[in-house]
């Protein structure tokens, strides 16, 4: 039997607020009533119909670049010769490690962005060493999807695909949120592996950004 799920940004915010309160029996009842009230006053929501739950292992085993499977997590060298190092921003200094944010440029599409959480100054300044570091986050974004040639693929979904197709491919995650009826961000997590996460940003029901979190840290 298929299940229909309806969640709005309003209800999602309510759930976050309620999760931080104490869990006595009376408070639990109040939480349930409050959430029900939030859900009932929102008339226009995005309805997701699916008979599948999000499978984090399947998702991370399906990540591809240009049709080539990526290891989990990947290194810059795994992206192949089509990519060159672009701009980067390092938060550390000569004596302290830091976070590195950068992008990889391709001759086929807009850049792939990446984050590495703990990088030494020596590693970030040496191209050979940098290319062999494990990446913590990768993403592809294209607001103007008509000019985009998608590189990053997860469960067959790329930038420019519809969220309806994404719903069918991803199934229902442990949690998700949205800002409007057909625009927002869906976050896919799993209690089976809380260290990983995937987010899809979309506008007018079209995926505009895919972000893969191989390691969820601050």
């Amino acid at each position: 039997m298929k299940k229909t799920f309806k969640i709005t940004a309003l209800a999602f915010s309510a759930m976050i607020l309620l999760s931080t309160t104490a869990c006595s029996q009376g408070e639990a009842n109040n939480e349930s009533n409050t959430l029900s009230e939030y859900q009932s006053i929102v008339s226009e929501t995005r309805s997701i119909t699916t008979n599948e739950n999000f499978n984090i292992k399947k998702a991370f085993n399906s990540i591809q670049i240009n049709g080539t499977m990526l290891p989990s997590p990947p290194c810059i060298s795994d992206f192949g010769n089509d990519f060159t190092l672009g701009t980067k921003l390092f938060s550390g200094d000569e004596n302290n490690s830091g976070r590195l944010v950068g992008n990889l440029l391709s001759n086929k599409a807009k850049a792939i962005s990446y984050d590495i959480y703990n990088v030494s100054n020596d590693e970030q300044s040496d191209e050979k060493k940098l290319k062999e570091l494990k990446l913590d986050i990768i993403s592809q974004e294209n607001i103007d999807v008509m000019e985009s040639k998608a590189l990053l693929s997860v469960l067959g979904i790329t930038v420019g695909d519809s969220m309806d197709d994404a719903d069918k491919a991803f199934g229902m995650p442990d949690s998700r949120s949205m800002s409007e009826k057909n625009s927002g961000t869906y976050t896919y997590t799993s209690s089976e592996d809380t260290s990983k996460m995937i987010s899809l940003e979309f506008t007018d029901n079209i995926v505009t950004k895919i972000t893969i979190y191989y390691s969820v840290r601050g």
Side-chain angles (χ1 to χ4, degrees):
M1 177 182 294
K2 293 188 175 181
K3 302 176 184 178
T4 301
F5 298 80
K6 298 183 177 181
I7 290 186
T8 66
L10 206 55
F12 183 75
S13 299
M15 285 187 284
I16 293 176
L17 177 62
L18 293 174
S19 68
T20 61
T21 60
C23 293
S24 68
Q25 185 61 43
E27 288 170 333
N29 291 336
N30 289 337
E31 290 175 3
S32 178
N33 292 337
T34 303
L35 178 57
S36 178
E37 290 173 5
Y38 269 113
Q39 290 173 325
S40 65
I41 63 175
V42 179
S43 59
E44 283 198 324
T45 63
R46 177 181 171 81
S47 298
I48 288 50
T49 302
T50 178
N51 59 358
E52 297 288 342
N53 288 323
F54 174 62
N55 186 322
I56 195 166
K57 183 176 180 180
K58 180 180 178 182
F60 275 81
N61 286 338
S62 74
I63 298 171
Q64 299 182 33
I65 289 291
N66 279 341
T68 300
M69 204 70 67
L70 281 180
S72 181
C75 301
I76 291 174
S77 60
D78 293 319
F79 283 70
N81 295 328
D82 284 347
F83 289 89
T84 58
L85 291 171
T87 58
K88 59 182 181 179
L89 179 63
F90 179 54
S91 65
D93 56 35
E94 184 176 347
N95 299 313
N96 296 293
S97 297
R99 185 168 184 165
L100 181 68
V101 179
N103 58 33
L104 304 175
L105 304 177
S106 171
N107 57 6
K108 295 183 178 180
K110 193 174 179 179
I112 295 291
S113 299
Y114 66 86
D115 284 39
I116 312 175
Y117 291 136
N118 190 24
V119 188
S120 70
N121 181 61
D122 178 57
E123 288 171 325
Q124 70 89 20
S125 59
D126 186 317
E127 183 173 318
K128 185 175 181 180
K129 291 180 180 179
L130 176 58
K131 287 184 175 180
E132 297 307 317
L133 296 177
K134 298 294 185 182
L135 305 181
D136 292 292
I137 304 173
I138 62 172
S139 66
Q140 183 183 5
E141 179 177 19
N142 246 315
I143 301 302
D144 187 357
V145 295
M146 297 304 292
E147 296 184 4
S148 154
K149 290 185 179 179
L151 293 169
L152 181 60
S153 169
V154 187
L155 292 170
I157 299 300
T158 66
V159 168
D161 286 338
S162 73
M163 278 303 299
D164 293 330
D165 288 338
D167 290 334
K168 296 173 185 176
F170 277 72
M172 179 58 64
D174 284 359
S175 63
R176 71 195 305 159
S177 64
M178 63 184 300
S179 58
E180 298 175 14
K181 184 177 181 181
N182 289 313
S183 298
T185 302
Y186 285 177
T187 302
Y188 296 82
T189 61
S190 172
S191 57
E192 295 178 8
D193 188 347
T194 58
S195 67
K196 296 181 175 66
M197 185 170 68
I198 296 173
S199 73
L200 303 180
E201 296 181 23
F202 61 102
T203 301
D204 295 331
N205 207 40
I206 299 298
V207 178
T208 57
K209 184 176 183 179
I210 299 176
T211 305
I212 312 297
Y213 298 83
Y214 291 98
S215 178
V216 179
R217 286 190 282 174

